[in-house]
Amino acid sequence: MLDVHAIPAFQDNYLWLLHLAGHAVVVDPGDAAPVNAALQAMQLKLTAILVTHHHADHIGGVAQLADQHAARVYAPAREHYTFAHAAVREGTQVRLPEIGLDLQVMELPGHTLGHVAYYGANMLFCGDTLFSAGCGRLFEGTPAQMLNSLQRLAALPAETVVYCTHEYTEHNLRFARSLEPDNAALERHQQDVASLRLLGLPSLPSSIGLELAINPFLRCDQPAIQNAAAAVALPAIAPQQPADTVLATFTAIRALRNRY
Ligand code: ZN
Ligand code: FE
């Protein structure tokens, strides 16, 4: 059975390590040291590295790990990287036979313009696009691009397991509840996450089904979120079409979350 392991790094990053029968693949290794420690502890051989976007906390360990382990590297075609890699784009099939896995690349502009996710076998490695109860900041893309990217993820099967790269969940849940205080699923999940965090356990992975119930950035079509956004950002919301309301709502709550 394929196993997926969270390696904590820095303040709140998770480097996801997938392994099967002694072979391992790592996603977004921002730091080589904790990955090497995990490989050694579990006696694994690193065969491939997947990169979702160019930020330092996601690529800081790539060159060293690729070199040390002769691992192949996959990274977004629309971004510039100094390490050797196979450039991936929308629809690219990433074959990882060593761990019995094929993943498909989705281009998801928003957090960065070239940002990609890797999807397959009921798993989604989405980098800094989707967080539990939140989404990435818009460093390069527009709200419309990010909303479109999130809508593509929202359309994946509900049982898809979502491997986000940051432990931002508690803060995100507080913000979500400020918008939707009557969402019972949100309240329940906040309690579950508080218990996990108290034990020092990750709040992740999540699932698309759970995120549809609790994530305000996937719920911009819901009257509760639209009303909350309109209450604080009235001038931004002068919709002509329902689709405009969704985008205006997304734009307003993304800006609100930046200051929360
Ligand atoms: Zn990032
Ligand atoms: Fe990050």
Side-chain angles (χ1 to χ4, degrees):
M1 263 293 271
L2 182 68
D3 194 25
V4 186
H5 186 85
I7 303 173
F10 310 119
Q11 281 295 314
D12 48 36
N13 284 70
Y14 292 124
L15 321 180
W16 293 104
L17 187 77
L18 297 74
H19 63 96
L20 179 79
H23 292 273
V25 170
V26 68
V27 184
D28 284 354
D31 191 1
V35 176
N36 275 328
L39 292 170
Q40 195 144 45
M42 294 188 273
Q43 293 289 297
L44 301 172
K45 175 174 172 27
L46 186 68
T47 57
I49 298 168
L50 309 182
V51 173
T52 65
H53 68 291
H54 66 80
H55 288 158
D57 62 316
H58 297 253
I59 64 166
V62 172
Q64 187 190 326
L65 288 169
D67 197 47
Q68 252 179 291
H69 302 277
R72 49 191 204 278
V73 180
Y74 300 89
R78 293 181 192 274
E79 296 188 342
H80 177 74
Y81 294 95
T82 53
F83 46 76
H85 64 282
V88 299
R89 57 189 78 245
E90 178 70 31
T92 300
Q93 288 282 344
V94 173
R95 298 190 193 287
L96 306 166
E98 300 89 346
I99 59 165
L101 184 67
D102 282 350
L103 295 172
Q104 184 150 349
V105 175
M106 300 172 78
E107 291 186 346
L108 301 173
H111 180 68
T112 67
L113 283 173
H115 199 300
V116 302
Y118 299 87
Y119 169 68
N122 214 34
M123 298 183 295
L124 175 70
F125 297 93
C126 56
D128 285 353
T129 298
L130 178 63
F131 295 128
S132 187
C135 74
R137 283 179 188 253
L138 305 181
F139 285 117
E140 298 175 17
T142 64
Q145 284 176 313
M146 186 59 138
L147 178 62
N148 186 256
S149 294
L150 292 173
Q151 286 171 335
R152 291 188 62 197
L153 298 182
L156 294 174
E159 63 274 15
T160 305
V161 182
V162 181
Y163 295 92
C164 316
T165 47
H166 288 273
E167 185 60 76
Y168 294 155
T169 312
E170 286 190 300
H171 192 168
N172 286 340
L173 286 167
R174 282 196 295 279
F175 175 68
R177 287 205 72 193
S178 76
L179 300 176
E180 251 189 323
D182 298 331
N183 181 335
L186 199 47
E187 183 178 2
R188 223 176 309 120
H189 191 60
Q190 199 173 25
Q191 289 165 4
D192 292 347
V193 168
S195 308
L196 287 171
R197 299 303 295 148
L198 211 57
L199 298 171
L201 297 172
S203 67
L204 302 166
S206 184
S207 70
I208 292 296
L210 175 61
E211 294 308 313
L212 288 173
I214 64 161
N215 191 321
F217 298 98
L218 301 187
R219 295 172 60 77
C220 293
D221 58 339
Q222 299 289 314
I225 299 290
Q226 293 181 352
N227 293 339
V232 293
L234 208 50
I237 303 201
Q240 309 297 313
Q241 302 287 330
D244 295 341
T245 314
V246 172
L247 177 57
T249 299
F250 176 79
T251 305
I253 68 170
R254 185 54 264 181
L256 266 184
R257 177 62 179 81
N258 288 347
R259 302 188 295 270
Y260 186 80

